[in-house]
Amino acid sequence: DPGRVLCIVAHPDDLEYGVAAAVAKWTSAGHEVVYVLATSGEAGIDGIAPAECGPLREAEERAGALVVGVTQVEFLGYPDGVVEYGVPLRRDLAAAIRTHRPDTVVLGNHHTTFGPGMLNQADHRSVGQAALEAIADAGNRWIFPELISERGLEPHKAKRVLIFASPLSTHAMDVTGWMDLAVASLREHRAYNEGLGDHMMSDPEMIRMFAEMAALRLEGSREALAFEVYEF
């Protein structure tokens, strides 16, 4: 039972490549899920200038979120590609956690790699690490006390964090039957997918391969998602 869920990632499309099937499963069961994105992905399409790309990718993210039942999507406005880990980012993410008061926080991979030979991207690492620490910050009234005095955001302690696309995954979640919605969610990122050209990641159907690989860890599952899991 994930309860209320808050998903924090760096870019539009991060959740669609990683965890949208789980989100569809949760929202269909009546769980509230909110997306918070550090950037608008404005540096993500080579052929479209950032001023035009940012609003376009925000719109695609909102459309993709709706496919899996998410109506609340927030963008923090950090610069795409050069997000810096630090106290300001931790404060903003702690504020988001105190605002939405989730039971479960879902994060992208913050490790150096996705696995052997697959380097992770800098924004993923910065946002993931800051978010992990912001979960603790959000529960401590003496860290960022201005969130209470200036914004009325009382401390909140989440119950667990699920980290997707991690090379240290410890758990698998069955999402058999939910991958069609996940693929449809990723298809809403039309401009981004087109901008990838002939790269394998440009075909939304390819996320089924990841789900089938994860299902090897879970007996009786055809499609699954793998998570690194911590309980608090």
Side-chain angles (χ1 to χ4, degrees):
D1 179 3
R4 293 168 59 89
V5 180
L6 176 63
C7 300
I8 300 173
V9 292
H11 314 110
D13 79 67
D14 286 353
L15 291 163
E16 285 69 33
Y17 277 112
V19 77
V23 172
K25 184 175 182 177
W26 291 331
T27 58
S28 71
H31 297 286
E32 180 182 2
V33 181
V34 175
Y35 287 179
V36 170
L37 293 87
T39 82
S40 297
E42 67 274 10
I45 303 176
D46 184 65
I48 304 178
E52 178 184 354
C53 188
L56 173 61
R57 297 203 68 199
E58 286 187 6
E60 290 188 339
E61 180 59 35
R62 290 192 175 96
L66 280 174
V67 171
V68 291
V70 176
T71 59
Q72 193 166 356
V73 181
E74 300 176 1
F75 299 89
L76 299 182
Y78 281 81
D80 184 21
V82 289
V83 178
E84 293 185 279
Y85 165 85
V87 170
L89 180 58
R90 281 173 52 191
R91 182 187 296 113
D92 285 346
L93 296 177
I97 293 166
R98 291 188 183 190
T99 296
H100 298 293
R101 312 188 79 76
D103 299 295
T104 300
V105 182
V106 177
L107 307 178
N109 176 25
H110 63 285
H111 300 292
T112 304
T113 70
F114 289 107
M118 297 181 289
L119 287 173
N120 199 356
Q121 194 262 356
D123 287 354
H124 298 159
R125 296 169 61 192
S126 295
V127 173
Q129 187 64 44
L132 266 179
E133 293 167 12
I135 293 171
D137 298 336
N140 187 331
R141 71 175 52 254
W142 307 120
I143 298 178
F144 308 134
E146 67 275 16
L147 294 179
I148 301 175
S149 61
E150 298 175 7
R151 300 174 59 179
L153 296 175
E154 291 290 335
H156 174 74
K157 294 184 179 181
K159 296 178 180 178
R160 69 192 61 83
V161 60
L162 309 181
I163 303 169
F164 67 87
S166 169
L168 302 180
S169 294
T170 54
H171 292 65
M173 174 183 173
D174 184 27
V175 291
T176 302
W178 298 102
M179 287 305 299
D180 286 349
L181 283 174
V183 170
S185 180
L186 182 53
R187 285 196 189 282
E188 293 295 333
H189 292 264
R190 293 181 178 86
Y192 181 72
N193 292 332
E194 290 174 4
L196 290 174
D198 60 0
H199 193 283
M200 65 171 289
M201 299 289 281
S202 67
D203 180 7
E205 291 289 338
M206 59 81 60
I207 63 173
R208 296 185 192 274
M209 176 184 68
F210 295 146
E212 291 165 0
M213 291 172 61
L216 297 176
R217 309 181 185 205
L218 190 63
E219 184 177 354
S221 173
R222 298 195 314 273
E223 297 165 326
L225 298 177
F227 294 100
E228 183 179 351
V229 178
Y230 299 96
E231 300 276 351
F232 304 116

